[in-house]
Amino acid sequence: MKNISIDGKFIGKDYPFYIIAEAGANHDGQIEKAYKLIDAAVESKVDAIKFQNYKASKLTTKTAQKYWNDGNNAESQFDVFAKLDTISFDDWKKIFDYAKKKGITCFSTPFDLESVDFLETVNVPAYKIASADITHIPLIKKIASKKKPIFMSTGMASLSEIHDAITTITNEGNDEIILMHCITSYPTEPQDANLQMIRKLESEFPECVIGYSDHTLGTEIAALSLFYGSTCIEKHFTFDKNLDISKDHRLSLTPNDFIELRKKVDLIEISRGSEIENYIQVETDAVKYARRSIVSTKKISKGTIITPDLLDIKRPGTGIEPKFLDKIIGYSAISDIEEDTPLTWDNIELKNE
């Protein structure tokens, strides 16, 4: 698996876990709230903040029904998205400039070709392709042509569809792909998280970096994704879960939640260790003193032939290992061995040697 650099930070198994605060449309269509989200992301010490750029009229018909349940069946997708697409490109430029001044990586998910063109004018360091658009080949092709790292969510997608999307990207000369395992359900129940799919994506697409776009509530499932091979996480983000214009506020993490997630991630990272089958440094004394050796049951004088009744197996493990018990029968002592003492190979030699 390769490593991918975004704004000087690397994403991959050789580097610390990368955390993205998905602000999405939690700005509620207001530039001041977008600024506040950026400030909160800086406070959260995440690696990046991500928004979404779309126009309702380019995203959905006016009658398309929602695929999520928020208790308002009278609204269409268009009704929801139209409330949130009121920020102009000029104001979006101010938002991205503000993030740059605050020193935090900021990029976006474009949902139409015009938004891609705009994001290039603010020189975003990466792009996100939403899981719903993994079959939108013209959009993927245009994003890929910008030759920047691409986060691509895989919610709802078959392996064949993922292959098609990756091929579209690589055909544009772009191999900077981070596949984000995702379940397109808001919120996702823990039993539906299917973290095992992270390992499947890693084996099926070894040329890609693998991450996780998480829609479960809380921080536990996101943190657990590390054990399945995820190298980065994306979670919805807000500074106030009580806001309700954007329906994502209710399943978002706050700055304190992200700080908690980082602590869990750091703990998991330092506890994962290595696959090398050997004891680690902190076990050195245990190897010496918790394991056992072959020891003398009585004083063994120099020249004595070793017999079973002269031997026992006790701690510490500083002498001859127990697996050699039968082998040393018939050896002779070449020096005096005191009672209750671990035998060493320096103490004995073969009878006929």
Side-chain angles (χ1 to χ4, degrees):
M1 180 186 289
K2 67 189 299 181
N3 300 305
I4 293 177
S5 175
I6 297 175
D7 261 359
K9 282 189 178 180
F10 282 90
I11 304 175
K13 287 198 170 180
D14 298 329
Y15 293 91
F17 199 67
Y18 194 91
I19 298 179
I20 303 165
E22 160 64 312
N26 281 350
H27 49 69
D28 291 341
Q30 301 170 33
I31 188 172
E32 292 302 326
K33 284 186 179 178
Y35 291 156
K36 198 166 182 179
L37 283 164
I38 291 168
D39 290 338
V42 171
E43 176 190 344
S44 302
K45 301 188 184 304
V46 296
D47 297 291
I49 183 171
K50 187 185 76 65
F51 290 100
Q52 297 174 1
N53 284 91
Y54 56 77
K55 286 294 181 183
S57 60
K58 293 179 178 292
L59 180 60
T60 177
T61 64
K62 292 183 178 180
T63 57
Q65 71 180 54
K66 293 180 291 188
Y67 54 91
W68 64 91
N69 181 15
D70 58 14
N72 187 351
N73 295 328
E75 280 186 325
S76 67
Q77 287 191 51
F78 181 87
D79 295 331
V80 173
F81 293 125
K83 297 174 186 176
L84 301 167
D85 71 353
T86 55
I87 297 178
S88 68
F89 281 154
D90 285 343
D91 281 344
W92 271 117
K93 185 178 185 307
K94 294 175 185 176
I95 291 166
F96 282 98
D97 285 345
Y98 187 80
K100 189 174 293 185
K101 289 176 185 176
K102 291 292 182 174
I104 188 169
T105 296
C106 184
F107 62 104
S108 184
T109 304
F111 285 82
D112 54 70
L113 303 181
E114 185 181 5
S115 292
V116 179
D117 289 333
F118 163 71
L119 291 171
E120 275 299 287
T121 69
V122 294
N123 196 28
V124 290
Y127 285 93
K128 170 75 187 296
I129 295 170
S131 57
D133 283 333
I134 201 165
T135 58
H136 189 341
I137 298 301
L139 178 63
I140 294 173
K141 184 175 181 180
K142 179 151 189 171
I143 292 171
S145 72
K146 305 308 178 183
K147 305 293 194 298
K148 292 179 178 177
I150 295 172
F151 295 84
M152 184 163 64
S153 284
T154 62
M156 305 176 285
S158 66
L159 290 177
S160 175
E161 289 168 337
I162 298 171
H163 274 289
D164 288 347
I166 288 175
T167 299
T168 299
I169 295 169
T170 56
N171 283 347
E172 292 297 314
N174 189 339
D175 63 355
E176 302 278 276
I177 305 168
I178 304 109
L179 284 182
M180 305 290 282
H181 168 55
C182 175
I183 301 297
T184 311
S185 175
Y186 307 94
T188 300
E189 296 297 328
Q191 64 268 25
D192 295 326
N194 196 20
L195 295 182
Q196 188 66 35
M197 191 63 187
I198 295 171
R199 291 175 177 163
K200 177 64 175 178
L201 291 174
E202 186 176 5
S203 64
E204 187 78 16
F205 306 101
E207 72 278 16
C208 298
V209 173
I210 309 299
Y212 178 40
S213 181
D214 181 35
H215 297 136
T216 65
L217 299 178
T219 59
E220 285 75 15
I221 303 299
L224 287 172
S225 73
L226 272 77
F227 285 115
Y228 289 83
S230 173
T231 61
C232 59
I233 188 79
E234 174 188 50
K235 288 279 289 182
H236 281 276
F237 175 63
T238 186
F239 55 83
D240 185 353
K241 291 184 181 181
N242 294 316
L243 297 173
D244 61 2
I245 297 178
S246 167
K247 301 305 179 183
D248 289 339
H249 288 294
R250 62 194 172 96
L251 55 87
S252 297
L253 299 186
T254 63
N256 285 339
D257 294 330
F258 267 103
I259 290 170
E260 177 190 339
L261 175 59
R262 175 62 78 183
K263 287 178 180 178
K264 289 178 180 177
V265 163
D266 289 346
L267 182 62
I268 291 171
E269 284 193 313
I270 64 173
S271 70
R272 280 194 298 182
S274 166
E275 294 180 358
I276 298 173
E277 293 184 6
N278 201 354
Y279 63 85
I280 63 176
Q281 190 63 37
V282 294
E283 294 179 306
T284 301
D285 284 347
V287 170
K288 288 182 179 180
Y289 304 118
R291 287 183 173 177
R292 303 194 191 204
S293 303
I294 300 171
V295 303
S296 55
T297 58
K298 60 186 71 174
K299 181 175 180 178
I300 302 174
S301 299
K302 179 180 178 179
T304 300
I305 303 302
I306 304 298
T307 56
D309 62 299
L310 297 176
L311 305 175
D312 202 349
I313 297 175
K314 296 183 181 181
R315 296 177 180 180
T318 53
I320 298 172
E321 294 180 61
K323 66 181 180 180
F324 295 112
L325 180 64
D326 292 336
K327 183 175 180 180
I328 68 172
I329 302 301
Y331 277 54
S332 59
I334 59 174
S335 60
D336 289 342
I337 304 170
E338 296 299 320
E339 179 183 351
D340 205 32
T341 301
L343 276 65
T344 68
W345 293 109
D346 293 334
N347 296 137
I348 56 179
E349 65 177 355
L350 286 173
K351 180 179 180 182
N352 295 324
E353 285 185 352

